[in-house]
Amino acid sequence: MFKRLVNECKIELTLRPQGAMLIKSGLAQISGVDMAWVRVFRNGQDEVYLPGSSLKGTIRSHAERIARTLNEDAACDPFAGHRDKDKPHSCGTALELYQKREKKTELTMREAYRLSCPICKLFGNTQMMGRLATEDAYVKEGTNPPSPQQRDGVGIDRFTGGAARGAKFELEVITEGEFHTTFHLTNFELWQLGLLGFVLHDLKDGLVRFGSGKSRGLGKVQATIDSITLHYIGNKEKIITNSHVNLLGVGALFKQANEQYGMQINDRLQFKHNNQNVSEHDLSGLRQTVKVTFDDFPWQQLAEKWLAFVNNFTDALADFR
Ligand SMILES: [Zn+2]
């Protein structure tokens, strides 16, 4: 996308499984369990962890549901391909068809971003990187790594459905623990932060399930959002005043954002800060940083940005779906 970083929002989270949860490893198991947790060697031992790619997939599906409730065109189906006549094409496939029709040898990031659906703009597709990156979630410092437990019998039969009927089937779950992860939103538009806000509120309320067996009740997680840090690169505008924080999207920071990427122009809002919770580190004079608590963040104003954006969204790739 952009060659340089203009803004970044870093969100630190703690995830706590509530009840049984399984993030499957695709590897063959030595232990004899049929489905085992992903593991990593850390702190001198094997520990379970939640891979960032798995977190991102879960967050994306949740965001898709939110988007579709508001506007059916606002989220493509990332799994729909060329040959699936019953399903409309994903943005990735539709962009390939667009490229062919336009006889372009290459599709620029600008075009891919401008034409993609809101969900792809945030999470990416086969033609471009998304704005959101999710780190692997490891056992939180100072807490005990949870010990996986083996489950079998009736619960497992219910969990796997017909396929495992009659066969002895064992899987490994964890039921406790605390995992720390960081989400990075870079070169973002404010509506994207608004959409992410809806997801974060649902994570806090335990409404987002992770891993395998979600429809069977596994994977309930309760999250706390530990901190939110905004970084701005550049000194054209002051981000923090004595009483306010100026929250700026790319459209307010990058001249060609609208014309080249179709981004919102003059993308900004202002919120009051409580001095105790806001800190500024301006070492070089080029990087401005503000750390804000979840409760002080202007979620309501950001939600309005997202709702206005999604309700007015029209699918630029409609001819190729
Ligand atoms: Zn899409």
Side-chain angles (χ1 to χ4, degrees):
M1 152 114 11
F2 301 114
K3 287 186 185 73
R4 61 191 182 92
L5 180 70
V6 296
N7 66 6
E8 181 182 13
C9 181
K10 211 171 105 179
I11 300 158
E12 309 263 353
L13 303 95
T14 303
L15 304 172
R16 295 180 185 84
Q18 314 280 303
M21 172 159 132
L22 168 64
I23 308 276
K24 257 189 322 198
S25 142
L27 304 171
Q29 301 307 316
I30 311 162
S31 60
V33 192
D34 297 289
M35 282 187 191
W37 259 82
V38 279
R39 283 176 163 80
V40 62
F41 191 74
R42 254 180 108 241
N43 302 322
Q45 58 182 335
D46 268 331
E47 281 183 12
V48 295
Y49 78 109
L50 290 69
S53 55
S54 167
L55 294 180
K56 192 170 170 181
T58 302
I59 302 292
R60 179 178 182 132
S61 310
H62 196 77
E64 280 171 12
R65 278 195 291 276
I66 293 170
R68 287 199 192 105
T69 341
L70 297 160
N71 179 346
E72 270 179 40
D73 294 335
C76 72
D77 178 351
F79 300 109
H82 281 295
R83 287 176 200 86
D84 195 339
K85 294 275 185 288
D86 298 331
K87 283 184 174 179
H89 290 147
S90 66
C91 290
T93 309
L95 283 168
E96 276 175 43
L97 298 173
Y98 163 84
Q99 188 186 342
K100 268 184 206 148
R101 191 193 70 179
E102 300 291 308
K103 298 190 171 60
K104 287 173 189 278
T105 47
E106 207 183 344
L107 200 63
T108 63
M109 285 302 114
R110 293 167 187 175
E111 267 179 309
Y113 187 88
R114 192 159 42 80
L115 299 171
S116 290
C117 76
I119 295 298
C120 286
K121 281 183 164 82
L122 179 56
F123 294 92
N125 57 38
T126 52
Q127 303 293 322
M128 63 168 191
M129 291 256 297
R131 308 287 83 229
L132 182 75
T134 49
E135 287 184 16
D136 292 340
Y138 295 123
V139 172
K140 196 167 180 161
E141 300 256 322
T143 68
N144 291 326
S147 313
Q149 304 162 14
Q150 292 192 8
R151 295 263 169 107
D152 61 2
V154 180
I156 293 150
D157 203 29
R158 271 180 55 229
F159 167 65
T160 53
R165 194 161 298 162
K168 179 154 167 61
F169 199 83
E170 289 190 326
L171 58 93
E172 202 179 59
V173 296
I174 60 156
T175 55
E176 55 184 8
E178 291 187 58
F179 297 87
H180 173 263
T181 186
T182 308
F183 293 172
H184 299 265
L185 188 60
T186 48
N187 288 345
F188 61 86
E189 297 190 77
L190 294 189
W191 66 261
Q192 292 170 327
L193 207 43
L195 170 56
L196 199 57
F198 276 92
V199 175
L200 293 175
H201 279 89
D202 286 349
L203 276 168
K204 256 172 80 89
D205 293 344
L207 299 174
V208 184
R209 287 179 185 270
F210 291 82
S212 306
K214 289 192 271 280
S215 61
R216 303 284 172 183
L218 297 194
K220 196 168 188 289
V221 165
Q222 204 268 319
T224 49
I225 290 73
D226 303 322
S227 72
I228 300 171
T229 310
L230 293 162
H231 294 293
Y232 285 92
I233 317 299
N235 55 4
K236 278 195 198 123
E237 193 161 346
K238 197 110 177 72
I239 299 306
I240 312 170
T241 68
N242 288 338
S243 56
H244 290 88
V245 174
N246 291 309
L247 185 49
L248 306 177
V250 177
L253 291 157
F254 180 69
K255 255 191 227 156
Q256 294 84 25
N258 176 259
E259 166 197 328
Q260 295 181 345
Y261 293 86
M263 289 172 164
Q264 306 268 298
I265 36 171
N266 201 26
D267 195 15
R268 60 176 66 229
L269 63 81
Q270 199 178 60
F271 66 99
K272 276 194 172 159
H273 68 72
N274 166 355
N275 281 321
Q276 290 168 335
N277 292 326
V278 178
S279 58
E280 182 183 16
H281 310 281
D282 195 357
L283 299 173
S284 60
L286 278 174
R287 188 183 180 89
Q288 301 181 58
T289 299
V290 189
K291 197 168 182 174
V292 189
T293 62
F294 184 80
D295 290 340
D296 284 345
F297 214 65
W299 295 117
Q300 187 59 46
Q301 281 172 274
L302 288 165
E304 283 159 23
K305 292 259 180 195
W306 154 244
L307 293 172
F309 178 81
V310 71
N311 288 325
N312 290 319
F313 173 79
T314 49
D315 185 6
L317 290 169
D319 291 354
F320 306 95
R321 299 289 184 188

